[in-house]
Amino acid sequence: MKALLLIDIQNDFVEGGALAVPNGREIIEIANRVMPKFDLIVATQDYHPADHLSFASQHPGKQVYDQIELDGLPQTLWPDHCIEGTRGAEFVSDLNCDRIDRVFPKGTNRKIDSYSGFFDNGHRQATGLGDYLKSKGVNELFLMGLATDYCVKFSVLDAIELGFKTIVMIEGCRAVNINPDDSQQALNKMRAAGAILVGTCAKQ
Ligand code: VGL
Ligand code: ZN
C-alpha cells in the first residue's frame, strides 16, 4: 500500500512567509496534481509555541542561522515561524487539504526541535506518524514538501530506518540552501541511505 507524505506545506515556508523557502510556492500545484494518485495522504505541520527555543529571538545576542547547542543537540537558530494558531502555521490555502487524511504536528515542545515528521531531533519522542502508517498497512511512502535540506531529509531518513520503501519526489521539494549546495548534499545523503529519488512519477 502506497501513501503520500506532504512535509510542512505551510504559509511561513513559502514566498512572503517568515522562513520562506525559495520558490516554495511552486510545489503547491505539484502536490495537488499527485494527490489523486494516492489512497492515503498524510501531512506534517511544523507547529511551535511562540517561545520555541529554535527561534533566534529566544537567545539574546544570537542571530538567525547561528548554531547553538540545545539540550545536548546541535541547533540552527531560525526566525520565529509556524507559531501555533497563526496564519503562518496554516497550510497554504491553494493546497487541496480536503484530500489529507491526517495531520501530524511537530515541534510543539518548546525545548526540542523536530525536523522529521516521525521523531524529535533527539529521537526521544515519536509523533505517532510511523505507527499510524503501519496500522494502515503502508509499506511504500512517497514524500514531497519543504524543505529538502531539513524536514524532508530527516523525515526520509527516519522513514527508511522504520522500514518503509521510501521514494522522494524531487520536483515537489524545495530547499532553504543556507549554503548553496545544501539541497544536493541532502539528496545525496537520502540516496546513500536507501531512498529512491524520482521526479514526480507516482507509479513505480
Ligand atoms: C523546517 C527549519 C525549521 C522545515 C522547520 O520544515 O524544513 N526548517 N523548522
Ligand atoms: Zn520549525
Side-chain angles (χ1 to χ4, degrees), residues 8 13 19 46 48 78 81 106 113 115 146-147 150-152:
D8 298 1
F13 293 128
L19 179 40
D46 208 43
H48 300 305
W78 302 108
H81 66 277
K106 63 185 179 62
D113 212 353
Y115 294 148
L146 305 170
Y150 293 94
C151 293
V152 172

Side-chain angles (χ1 to χ4, degrees), residues 64-138:
V64 167
Y65 299 155
D66 279 354
Q67 300 285 332
I68 64 160
E69 196 178 282
L70 188 58
D71 208 5
L73 298 170
Q75 176 69 53
T76 301
L77 294 178
W78 302 108
D80 294 12
H81 66 277
C82 297
I83 295 173
E84 55 190 5
T86 65
R87 198 185 121 69
E90 288 171 17
F91 292 122
V92 176
S93 56
D94 295 339
L95 183 68
N96 191 351
C97 293
D98 299 352
R99 290 192 174 263
I100 298 173
D101 295 287
R102 181 129 171 217
V103 175
F104 287 85
K106 63 185 179 62
T108 55
N109 177 346
R110 171 176 194 248
K111 298 197 168 91
I112 191 162
D113 212 353
S114 189
Y115 294 148
S116 163
F118 294 94
F119 301 97
D120 63 52
N121 288 1
H123 270 224
R124 293 169 190 162
Q125 212 166 342
T127 59
L129 172 59
D131 286 344
Y132 175 80
L133 294 173
K134 288 193 175 165
S135 77
K136 297 286 182 189
V138 173

Side-chain angles (χ1 to χ4, degrees), residues 20-68:
V21 178
N23 306 312
R25 207 173 279 280
E26 291 173 0
I27 72 162
I28 309 302
E29 174 243 324
I30 297 170
N32 288 339
R33 201 168 66 225
V34 300
M35 279 197 271
K37 302 186 189 209
F38 292 91
D39 295 326
L40 186 74
I41 303 171
V42 181
T44 61
Q45 185 178 26
D46 208 43
Y47 209 71
H48 300 305
D51 60 354
H52 196 262
L53 290 174
S54 73
F55 297 166
S57 62
Q58 296 295 306
H59 305 272
K62 297 285 177 194
Q63 308 214 337
V64 167
Y65 299 155
D66 279 354
Q67 300 285 332
I68 64 160

